[in-house]
Amino acid sequence: MGTFTKGPVTIDYDDHRSDDTTPPLVLVHGHPFDRSMWAPQVEHVGRTGRQVIVSDLRGYGRSTVVPGKTPLQVFAQDIADLLDRLGVAEIVLGGLSMGGQIVMEFHRLFPDRLRGLILADTTPQAETEESRRAREAMADRLLREGMDGYAEEVLPKMVAPANIRRYPAVAEHVLGMMRGTSPDGAAAAQLGRAERPDYVASLARVRVPTLIVVGSEDEYTPIADARLMHEVVPGSTLVVIEGTAHLPNLERPAVFNEALSRFLDSIPGER
C-alpha cells in the first residue's frame, strides 16, 4: 500500500511488485466503487508472478475527494503520473464501466504506454443529450441525498438479482463500496463523464491485444455495446459471462479470471 501526492490530491494505491518481466497489470475501478472491487483479480494474477497495480481514483476510496467536476482525462493523467512515480513505462490496462472509459481515455492520450487493453462492462459512445442531463440530475441527487438511497436502488443492476441471493457476501461488498463513496467525489465524476468524447474512432486505432468482457444480464452496458467495441477494435477478443450483470469480475470471479489469464498469457513479455 502506498500514497502518491500531486498538488492537493493524494492517490491511495496498492503495488503488488514482482521480478517478473511481463508488463504490469493496472486495473481501474468503476463508479461508485473503490479498488477493492478488483480483489479477486489481484489475488489471482498475483499468484502468477505478474506485477499488479490498483488505486482508488480521486474522489473514491481513500484518495482525496475533489468536489466540482472531474473529467475522464484527469483520471487518466492521474494514472500516468502514478506510473511515472513507480517507474513503470508500459502496462496492460484494464477497467470496468467508468474505469473502462478511463482506459479508453488513457489510450487516446498515451497509446505508446500500452501493451494490452481490458474493457469490461463499458461503452465507448459519447453521452446523448438525454443521458447527459440524466447524469447531471444524478449528480445533483447524490449531493442532496447522499449515497444510501442510490446504492439500494442500483444494487440489483450492479449484481444480478439471482446472484444477490446466491452470493450475499458479494452483494454486501458492493453495497458497502457504494455507501462508502463520497457524494462529492461521485457527483464530480458523473459531471465529468457527462462531457466525455466518443471513443469509437480512437478504438479503431488500437494496435495492442484487447479483451472485451460483458455480463450477459448487464443493463447499464449491454452486450450490444461490447459487440460494437469488438467490431471496432482490430483483433479483439469478446467474452460474455453468463448469469452476471454489471460486475462479472465479482459475480463469477473464476470465469472472469480464466478469461483474464488466457488474455494475459497471450501478450508477449519483455520487448
Side-chain angles (χ1 to χ4, degrees):
M1 181 181 295
T3 57
F4 164 60
T5 300
K6 47 182 288 187
V9 176
T10 296
I11 303 296
D12 217 81
Y13 69 90
D14 295 325
D15 178 10
H16 300 267
R17 288 244 166 210
S18 169
D19 294 329
D20 194 272
T21 60
T22 55
L25 173 64
V26 178
L27 294 171
V28 187
H29 68 78
H31 161 89
F33 307 123
D34 57 52
R35 69 185 188 265
S36 71
M37 69 159 282
W38 292 116
Q41 287 68 53
V42 170
E43 180 182 2
H44 175 76
V45 176
R47 287 199 298 266
T48 71
R50 184 184 294 266
Q51 182 180 359
V52 186
I53 301 166
V54 289
S55 68
D56 289 334
L57 298 168
R58 63 167 66 201
Y60 294 86
R62 296 182 178 139
S63 293
T64 302
V65 174
V66 183
K69 177 173 22 180
T70 308
L72 293 182
Q73 59 262 38
V74 171
F75 289 125
Q77 186 65 57
D78 285 344
I79 294 170
D81 292 342
L82 174 59
L83 295 176
D84 291 343
R85 168 69 177 271
L86 297 175
V88 174
E90 296 180 327
I91 58 170
V92 177
L93 182 61
L96 183 144
S97 192
M98 180 180 77
Q101 292 166 347
I102 294 168
V103 168
M104 289 182 256
E105 178 65 16
F106 190 99
H107 168 261
R108 187 182 72 84
L109 295 173
F110 311 108
D112 293 340
R113 301 194 74 162
L114 293 168
R115 298 284 300 282
L117 291 176
I118 302 157
L119 299 169
D121 297 82
T122 192
T123 182
Q125 301 99 313
E127 298 285 359
T128 64
E129 186 62 28
E130 180 182 2
S131 63
R132 182 183 64 79
R133 288 196 299 267
R135 285 206 187 277
E136 292 170 348
M138 179 58 69
D140 289 341
R141 175 189 170 185
L142 296 178
L143 292 174
R144 284 195 319 271
E145 301 177 8
M147 299 299 294
D148 286 356
Y150 167 80
E152 293 282 354
E153 178 182 307
V154 302
L155 179 63
K157 294 183 179 180
M158 298 294 187
V159 179
N163 291 332
I164 293 175
R165 296 187 295 270
R166 190 177 295 123
Y167 309 116
V170 170
E172 283 301 313
H173 178 204
V174 172
L175 200 56
M177 287 190 290
M178 293 194 290
R179 286 173 170 164
T181 293
S182 160
D184 286 304
Q190 289 281 51
L191 293 174
R193 290 172 79 191
E195 299 179 356
R196 73 179 187 270
D198 191 298
Y199 292 111
V200 174
S202 61
L203 285 179
R205 297 192 294 272
V206 169
R207 295 296 180 265
V208 294
T210 300
L211 172 65
I212 298 163
V213 184
V214 66
S216 64
E217 300 174 23
D218 193 344
E219 296 182 36
Y220 286 120
T221 56
I223 293 175
D225 290 351
R227 286 181 177 146
L228 171 62
M229 292 187 291
H230 180 45
E231 292 168 3
V232 168
V233 179
S236 60
T237 299
L238 173 61
V239 174
V240 178
I241 300 185
E242 297 296 330
T244 65
H246 198 51
L247 294 166
N249 70 302
L250 290 173
E251 296 174 79
R252 297 191 68 189
V255 178
F256 189 99
N257 289 346
E258 181 181 359
L260 178 61
S261 288
R262 286 198 306 269
F263 174 70
L264 292 174
D265 289 345
S266 73
I267 297 174
E270 196 172 18
R271 280 184 176 173

